[in-house]
Amino acid sequence: MRRPWIGGNWKMHKTIGEALELARALKAGLPAADSVEVVVAPPYTALKVVADELRGAAVQLAAQNIHWADQGAYTGEISPVMVRDTGCRQVIIGHSERRQWFGETDELINKKIGACLNHDLEPVFCVGETLEEREAGRVEEVLTRQVREGLRGFNRGEAARGVIAYEPVWAIGTGKTATPETAQQVHSFIRDLLAGLYDKTVASAKRIVYGGSMTPETARGLITQPDIDGGLIGGASLKAESFLAIVKECI
Ligand code: PEP
């Protein structure tokens, strides 16, 4: 049985005060059941205060990105050591916005996953095709490349760490949620890919979550699919009410 995973990606939203307010509301409204792993990814500036606020609550903290090196002359970057220091245990890696706006390649993403593993941080490894790629019938080719290159060089124990987030780029922030059938098809494909790259044990234990305009209304249909193990939520994670409603759909 794979424990459902629900993560909130706050992106470049929330000042420190706003982040604290949201963290408090989440803490107050979180269901008592711990059958779902709940994770929030605030912006760097709010990581420490949110970690302090959520101490003792059943919510894990994630960073939205890291640099691959432990330290060095990389102006403007944040290292895995630094995010761990704030209380983070997970990191979103290779989000499509990082790929699109900051030129992140499969090779760079592979290095960042390696940095996570070296620092006992669980990667939330994002993959997904663009609309153009889907329309050209290239979904399987693109996902094969992203998964294989992202995990290149990692052994089965390392590949088992963290979660994979399937986030079709055309569904992110657009309100165009993938249908449960479309998402299930891709999740099943990714699981088969893992079985081919590693083995069936790794593939069947790995949590593969869906991301792309998931809402309280669309969550249940998606997460009840056999290969969908939760969700990475953007817009709907910015309000406690909608994020908690999605968490409750997983219980
Ligand atoms: C995301 O950015 O990871 C995401 C899924 O965003 P949204 O839910 O807003 O589509």
Side-chain angles (χ1 to χ4, degrees), residues 67 92 105 127 135 137 148 153 220:
H67 191 273
I92 299 173
T105 60
V127 294
E135 286 177 346
R148 192 178 46 214
R220 183 164 290 271

Side-chain angles (χ1 to χ4, degrees), residues 9 11 95 97 167 171-173 211-214 232-235:
N9 175 11
K11 308 194 187 191
H95 191 281
E97 288 152 15
E167 300 209 299
I172 297 180
S213 298
M214 194 189 265
L232 180 55
I233 326 295

